[in-house]
């Protein structure tokens, strides 16, 4: 026994692997790295981005077939799975400023020299927001900054009501779908969203094609479906959109926007903004157009007319399986979407081509004798851009089988030069950090973990550096919405991660006709060094997940993270109480009246109800028990590598199914599709994550009763989760049970 320990201590041991299996795993990984091909990435990028490939396009289908053939040629059991979804496209678009200085918006992106696909006009979807309502409205215009709830509070204090008006909001501050949703809640009849040059235009850098930033006529397309309620086909919530699925009526689909919404360029936005009268906007609301920004309204009205083809379109998901030899019914799933708004080179193909080469590389190892314990499922999703359509419908359609078999889901999307970013289930943090040590940054040669650490320290303000010094751990961010993990993590409770490189290729091509092969190879990731680094990182995640003797789960990281969230919530509640008391006193002491410029119209804020104390004890007790059990389990984790096969199989099943117990069938308040109780997209932020969402959003929206109820729900969820860990302990440390 001592002899074995001595030898083992001289060797490296991967999380979840025995010493012997570690040696062979690392050997195969080396071979995997050397088999990856920059040339492949370029060949596939060139083909897949050669024509516009949105949902329902000729090239979209051709791309799915092209990739399916690749997977087949590498030995994957491959199918194309189709779903039939509501996908509106523009039939008519008009936006004009009426009155004394009329202007008709161009709503077009011109071809530019040096970008070979920018002139494919007849196949491009024009600038529009998918799932906007049809509408024909003429009304006064009001500028609402980013159009998020806080902006409307300020507008209210300025005495501006958007009821019956059209609002114009700039991109940023939230996911775009929040802007028309909040506008409609405030009674607006139309919504225009524009890209201010401040954010990704000339203020940020040289514009395309000279530089990577958004040219004056560039338009950011994108969905405005109310995805924080449920993503996927609006007509088939909770079930797969198969040909004969039961569909709800379009007018009953709550996720479709209630007012017309249109995205425009800053060239088209300028005359509209210039026409506005009223007060000058607060300093923080100014953009970078050469005008004085006013809130409005102006004396001239705006006319917005939008009509859509409300067609049902087929989706083409590519699903490719490589069967595991020991646990064929345990699935390690990997996905990236293949549809783009136009040519979509950066978003999504930069991630897609990396996934392809990774899948090829692993299959080639298998042919040489590398054994996969578990089954790999490689997916190329269609319809992510409109509303995570392909992945959501697939997850809903296969929910029974996935709940049984899915061990893990790994997502990627766009990828570019820079630093590794990773988000996901917190049980996977130590596992991911081990991998980040083993992959090298293509530009500097140090590990991607070292490079990310250097950047974090350099970016930090001087006061916080001493605390960060030496802490190289990459903290996984919590996942909200934004790409194809939602169906897996938030609907089914499957442990998930999303990874990608970025941060050194900022630009303004996003969702425009300029996100092209020429753009990406010049500005995104010239030479594909980071495409290869992504394959190396994601490939390791897939191979180690597939081949670990015991799944690399760490309940301690999860526990620590949730304890931090609870501390955050208590601080949030305490701060809300103090701020409310202070502001109420300022109102009663008439400080707002005394401070304001009497010549400017400005209302006082309304006073708020006193913030009650909430009782966190049930949750704190549940977490104390979780902590105790998580620590005990992790202590026995190392010995679990030595368990007999049948016990290991049982243990693994408990480990990967534990995440399911973090879901509640009833879902979150007012959005039952979102079942995970720890992570959800914000109801009013969209992409932005809300952790412990039931409690947090109750506090943020001053719904104290709901916040208290959700403390109870989360507590019960944690108790159930702890029970799973206890079950695992019965296998790894059976003595402790007595
Ligand atoms: Zn994408």
């Amino acid at each position: 026994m001592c002899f074995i320990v001595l030898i083992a201590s001289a060797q490296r041991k991967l999380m979840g692997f025995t010493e012997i299996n570690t040696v062979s795993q690392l050997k195969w990984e080396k071979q995997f790295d050397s088999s990856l091909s920059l040339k492949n990435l370029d060949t596939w990028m060139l083909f897949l981005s050669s024509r516009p490939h949105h949902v329902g396009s000729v090239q979209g289908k051709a791309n799915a077939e092209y990739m399916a053939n690749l997977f087949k040629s590498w030995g994957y059991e491959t199918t194309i799975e189709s779903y039939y979804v509501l996908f509106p496209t523009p039939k008519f678009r008009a936006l004009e400023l009426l009155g004394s200085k009329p202007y008709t918006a161009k709503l077009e992106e011109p071809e530019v020299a040096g970008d070979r696909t920018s002139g494919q006009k007849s196949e491009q979807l024009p600038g529009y927001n998918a799932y906007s309502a049809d509408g024909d409205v003429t009304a006064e215009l009001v500028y609402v900054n980013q159009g998020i709830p806080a902006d409307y509070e300020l507008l209210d204090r300025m005495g501006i009501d958007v009821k019956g008006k059209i609002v114009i909001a700039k991109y940023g501050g939230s996911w775009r779908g929040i802007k028309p949703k909040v506008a409609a809640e405030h009674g607006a009849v139309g919504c225009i969203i524009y890209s201010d040059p401040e954010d990704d235009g000339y203020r940020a850098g040289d514009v395309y094609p000279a530089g990577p930033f958004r040219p004056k006529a560039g338009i950011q397309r994108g969905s405005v479906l109310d995805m924080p309620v449920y993503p996927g086909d609006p007509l088939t919530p909770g079930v797969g959109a198969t040909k004969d699925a039961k569909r709800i009526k379009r007018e009953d689909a709550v996720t479709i926007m209630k007012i017309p919404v249109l995205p425009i360029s800053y060239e088209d936005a300028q005359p509209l903004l210039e026409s506005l009268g009223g007060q000058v906007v607060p300093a923080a609301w100014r953009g970078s157009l050469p005008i004085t920004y006013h809130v409005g309204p102006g004396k001239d009205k705006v006319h917005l007319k939008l009509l859509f083809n409300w067609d049902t379109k087929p989706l083409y998901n590519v699903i490719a399986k490589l069967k595991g030899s020991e646990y064929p019914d345990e699935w390690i799933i990997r996905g990236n979407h293949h549809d783009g708004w136009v040519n979509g080179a950066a978003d999504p193909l930069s991630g897609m081509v990396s996934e392809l080469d990774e899948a090829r590389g692993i299959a080639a190892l298998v042919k040489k004798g590398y054994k996969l314990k578990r089954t790999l499922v490689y997916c190329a999703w269609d319809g992510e851009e409109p509303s995570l359509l392909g992945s959501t419908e697939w997850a809903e359609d296969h929910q029974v089988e996935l709940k049984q078999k899915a061990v893990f889901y790994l997502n990627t999307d766009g990828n570019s030069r820079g630093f590794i970013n990773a988000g996901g289930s917190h049980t996977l943090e130590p596992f991911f950090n081990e991998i980040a040590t083993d992959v090298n940054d293509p530009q500097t040669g140090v590990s991607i973990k070292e490079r990310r650490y250097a950047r974090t320290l350099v970016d930090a303000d001087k006061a916080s550096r001493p605390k960060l010094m030496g802490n190289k751990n990459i903290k996984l961010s919590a996942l909200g919405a934004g790409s194809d993990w939602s169906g897996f993590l938030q609907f089914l409770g499957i442990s998930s991660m999303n990874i990608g490189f970025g941060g050194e290729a900022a630009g303004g091509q996003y969702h425009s006709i300029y996100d092209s092969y020429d753009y990406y190879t010049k500005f995104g990731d010239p030479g594909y060094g980071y495409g290869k680094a992504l394959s190396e990182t994601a490939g390791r995640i897939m191979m180690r997940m597939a081949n670990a003797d015991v799944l690399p789960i760490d309940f301690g990281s999860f526990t620590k993270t949730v304890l931090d969230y609870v501390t955050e919530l208590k601080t949030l509640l305490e701060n809300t109480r103090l701020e409310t008391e202070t502001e109420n006193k300022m109102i009663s002491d008439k400080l707002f009246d005394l401070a304001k410029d009497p010549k400017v119209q400005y209302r006082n804020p309304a006073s708020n109800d006193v913030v009650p104390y909430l009782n966190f004890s049930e949750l704190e007790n549940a977490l104390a028990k979780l902590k105790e059990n998580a620590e005990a389990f992790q202590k026995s984790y190392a010995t679990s590598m030595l368990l007999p096969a049948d016990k290991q199989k049982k243990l693994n099943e408990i480990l990967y199914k534990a995440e399911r117990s973090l879901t509640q069938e009833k879902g979150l308040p007012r959005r039952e599709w979102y079942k995970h109780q720890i992570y959800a997209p914000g109801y009013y932020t969209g992409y932005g994550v809300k952790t412990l969402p039931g409690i947090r959003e109750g506090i943020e929206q001053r719904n104290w009763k709901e916040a208290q109820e959700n403390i109870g729900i989360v507590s019960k969820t944690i108790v159930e989760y702890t029970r799973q860990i206890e079950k695992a302990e019965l296998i790894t440390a059976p003595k402790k049970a007595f």
Side-chain angles (χ1 to χ4, degrees):
M1 190 67 181
C2 269
F3 178 67
I4 296 171
V5 172
L6 272 176
I7 292 178
S9 66
Q11 288 175 346
R12 204 173 150 206
K13 201 176 137 331
L14 290 175
M15 194 173 171
F17 286 78
T18 62
E19 284 84 357
I20 293 168
N21 289 348
T22 297
V23 174
S24 103
Q25 177 67 21
L26 291 173
K27 191 191 83 195
W28 287 112
E29 286 179 8
K30 243 199 193 112
Q31 280 202 41
F32 171 73
D33 288 350
S34 59
S35 79
L36 294 172
S37 157
L38 300 171
K39 177 83 184 34
N40 281 346
L41 300 183
D42 189 60
T43 305
W44 298 332
M45 176 65 91
L46 192 58
F47 176 79
L48 297 171
S49 68
S50 59
R51 325 266 342 160
H53 51 97
H54 50 269
V55 170
S57 62
V58 173
Q59 187 68 30
K61 184 167 186 241
N63 282 354
E65 285 162 356
Y66 179 88
M67 290 186 288
N69 285 332
L70 287 176
F71 279 115
K72 275 180 204 158
S73 73
W74 302 325
Y76 285 80
E77 205 179 286
T78 309
T79 52
I80 291 183
E81 292 197 33
S82 284
Y83 295 97
Y84 302 85
V85 297
L86 181 70
F87 179 61
T89 52
K91 183 152 69 179
F92 182 85
R93 301 172 306 145
L95 171 65
E96 47 189 345
L97 174 65
L98 310 171
S100 52
K101 272 171 92 182
Y103 175 77
T104 303
K106 294 178 187 150
L107 311 178
E108 299 293 344
E109 296 177 293
E111 178 177 2
V112 302
D115 188 307
R116 285 167 287 176
T117 55
S118 62
Q120 295 170 337
K121 187 121 225 123
S122 65
E123 293 171 60
Q124 293 163 351
L125 279 177
Y128 82 112
N129 287 129
Y131 305 102
S132 150
D134 286 328
D136 185 352
V137 289
T138 301
E140 291 178 322
L141 186 68
V142 172
Y143 175 64
V144 294
N145 190 32
Q146 296 174 322
I148 57 176
D151 294 326
Y152 285 89
E153 279 172 33
L154 209 51
L155 280 169
D156 182 53
R157 297 192 52 201
M158 288 187 265
I160 306 288
D161 186 357
V162 303
K163 204 161 183 194
K165 304 204 168 56
I166 296 172
V167 302
I168 179 165
K170 64 183 176 198
Y171 267 111
S174 74
W175 173 63
R176 79 180 76 70
I178 301 300
K179 299 164 196 286
K181 165 164 143 173
V182 179
E185 282 176 3
H186 284 82
V189 296
C191 178
I192 301 161
I193 311 176
Y194 81 102
S195 301
D196 198 284
E198 170 104 2
D199 300 316
D200 62 2
Y202 55 71
R203 165 76 191 260
D206 290 320
V207 302
Y208 198 60
F213 288 93
R214 196 176 296 274
K216 63 183 181 182
I219 301 172
Q220 183 191 139
R221 291 155 188 72
S223 174
V224 292
L225 193 81
D226 199 356
M227 280 187 260
V229 175
Y230 64 89
D233 178 27
L235 304 186
T236 59
V239 298
T242 52
K243 212 160 212 166
D244 43 10
K246 220 176 135 222
R247 285 170 166 77
I248 59 174
K249 284 204 216 99
R250 177 148 64 90
E251 49 277 26
D252 295 335
V254 294
T255 54
I256 297 175
M257 217 27 77
K258 301 293 172 290
I259 57 173
V261 198
L262 184 70
I264 63 172
S265 66
Y266 53 86
E267 183 181 33
D268 277 338
Q270 187 168 331
L272 302 179
L273 290 168
E274 253 173 329
S275 79
L276 295 178
Q279 295 182 37
V280 171
V281 301
W285 287 27
R286 281 172 210 152
S288 289
L289 286 168
I291 56 169
T292 303
Y293 288 66
H294 289 83
V295 176
K299 53 183 190 317
D300 297 322
K301 288 187 174 172
V302 163
H303 174 222
L304 172 66
K305 182 174 175 186
L306 298 174
L307 294 173
F308 298 92
N309 305 301
W310 292 92
D311 296 333
T312 296
K313 290 274 166 69
L315 293 179
Y316 304 100
N317 289 331
V318 183
I319 310 291
K321 291 182 184 145
L322 203 56
K323 214 169 181 180
S325 54
E326 230 170 286
Y327 308 122
D329 285 339
E330 293 184 8
W331 292 1
I332 313 295
I333 311 170
R334 169 85 172 89
N336 195 106
H337 69 102
H338 69 77
D339 67 303
W341 271 122
V342 195
N343 298 77
D347 178 10
L349 297 176
S350 56
M352 191 69 247
V353 296
S354 282
E355 183 191 309
L356 289 173
D357 206 39
E358 166 198 327
R360 184 198 56 75
I362 296 176
L365 297 186
V366 169
K367 279 188 190 135
K368 285 188 194 159
Y370 178 53
K371 277 214 158 29
L372 290 168
K373 283 191 168 75
R374 302 181 176 82
T375 295
L376 300 183
V377 184
Y378 273 86
C379 311
W381 306 120
D382 199 356
E384 187 269 358
E385 294 295 0
S387 135
L388 319 178
L389 292 165
S391 58
T392 302
E393 297 313 318
W394 192 76
E396 289 175 342
D397 192 23
H398 297 277
Q399 53 187 290
V400 176
E401 190 174 20
L402 285 169
K403 276 186 193 162
Q404 186 56 34
K405 296 179 179 173
V407 171
F408 168 72
Y409 175 69
L410 175 62
N411 191 73
T412 55
D413 200 325
N415 189 62
S416 63
R417 217 160 56 78
F419 304 86
I420 186 70
N421 288 303
S425 304
H426 286 90
T427 45
L428 302 170
E429 195 168 295
F431 168 69
F432 178 71
N433 272 272
E434 195 175 61
I435 284 168
T437 319
D438 287 352
V439 176
N440 284 341
D441 174 70
Q443 293 178 118
T444 62
V446 302
S447 75
I448 57 173
K449 187 167 170 172
E450 285 291 335
R451 186 150 201 256
R452 161 83 191 243
Y453 166 68
R455 175 66 183 255
T456 305
L457 238 86
V458 170
D459 282 356
D461 58 77
K462 288 185 180 176
S464 34
R465 282 176 183 167
K467 224 173 56 208
L468 294 168
M469 183 62 97
N471 179 6
K472 297 183 181 177
N473 182 55
I474 298 176
K475 185 100 196 103
L476 294 186
S477 57
L479 292 178
S483 193
D484 288 305
W485 60 78
S486 282
F488 299 95
L489 179 67
Q490 289 145 350
F491 181 63
L492 294 177
I494 295 164
S495 293
S496 300
M497 279 191 70
N498 180 66
I499 62 166
F501 290 90
E504 290 182 325
Q509 84 294 348
Y510 181 61
H511 291 184
S512 78
I513 66 167
Y514 310 118
D515 182 359
S516 62
Y517 176 86
D518 289 321
Y519 180 100
Y520 189 74
T521 49
K522 191 168 176 195
F523 298 113
D525 180 21
Y528 299 96
Y530 284 90
K532 181 166 181 279
L534 186 63
S535 300
E536 290 177 11
T537 314
R540 273 178 173 71
I541 295 177
M542 293 301 284
M543 290 188 282
R544 291 189 194 176
M545 271 289 176
N547 267 5
D549 297 293
V550 178
L551 290 167
I553 300 262
D554 184 272
F555 293 114
S557 298
F558 173 82
T559 307
K560 195 184 159 306
T561 309
V562 176
L563 281 166
D564 288 346
Y565 293 157
V566 173
T567 306
E568 258 172 50
L569 287 183
K570 288 164 80 178
T571 309
L572 172 69
L573 183 68
E574 203 46 46
N575 289 346
T576 308
R577 177 178 304 109
L578 271 173
E579 283 162 19
T580 304
E581 279 169 14
T582 308
E583 193 163 291
N584 285 352
K585 178 138 183 15
M586 286 166 70
I587 293 166
S588 63
D589 288 352
K590 305 219 177 317
L591 300 188
F592 287 98
D593 297 298
L594 297 173
K596 74 181 171 196
D597 179 346
K599 296 195 170 146
V600 178
Q601 191 193 355
Y602 208 59
R603 270 187 224 157
N604 294 346
S607 61
N608 269 307
D609 289 346
V610 174
V611 177
Y613 288 86
L614 297 180
N615 185 352
F616 282 90
S617 62
E618 189 184 353
L619 182 53
E620 285 169 321
N621 287 326
L623 285 167
K625 183 112 198 290
L626 168 64
K627 186 162 184 275
E628 189 187 309
N629 281 280
E631 281 168 3
F633 174 78
Q634 294 312 139
K635 259 189 212 143
S636 65
Y637 178 78
T639 60
S640 65
M641 302 318 133
L642 306 170
L643 288 170
D646 59 326
K647 288 205 167 157
Q648 236 170 35
K649 184 174 191 311
K650 242 170 110 183
L651 175 63
N652 280 323
E653 191 170 339
I654 295 168
L655 291 181
Y656 75 79
K657 285 188 179 165
E659 186 95 11
R660 311 278 193 278
S661 63
L662 293 174
T663 62
Q664 290 289 345
E665 206 34 52
K666 265 178 62 194
L668 294 174
R670 288 169 298 282
R671 40 183 182 148
E672 67 165 50
W673 190 89
Y674 285 95
K675 304 196 188 295
H676 207 291
Q677 297 297 311
I678 312 295
Y679 318 110
Y683 194 79
Y684 282 110
T685 53
Y687 288 144
V689 64
K690 296 288 173 184
T691 54
L692 306 181
I695 310 171
R696 191 180 297 266
E697 293 199 318
I699 295 174
E700 286 174 350
Q701 286 155 38
R702 294 177 176 268
N703 191 339
W704 314 117
K705 190 167 160 277
E706 192 169 289
Q708 186 65 63
E709 276 166 15
N710 277 276
I711 290 175
I713 294 169
V714 175
S715 306
K716 287 183 183 71
T717 308
I718 295 289
V719 167
E720 186 48 44
Y721 187 68
T722 307
R723 215 168 274 154
Q724 304 309 310
I725 302 177
E726 283 173 330
K727 274 208 270 177
E729 274 178 273
L730 281 178
I731 298 175
T732 56
K735 266 185 232 139
K736 200 199 154 257
F738 296 99

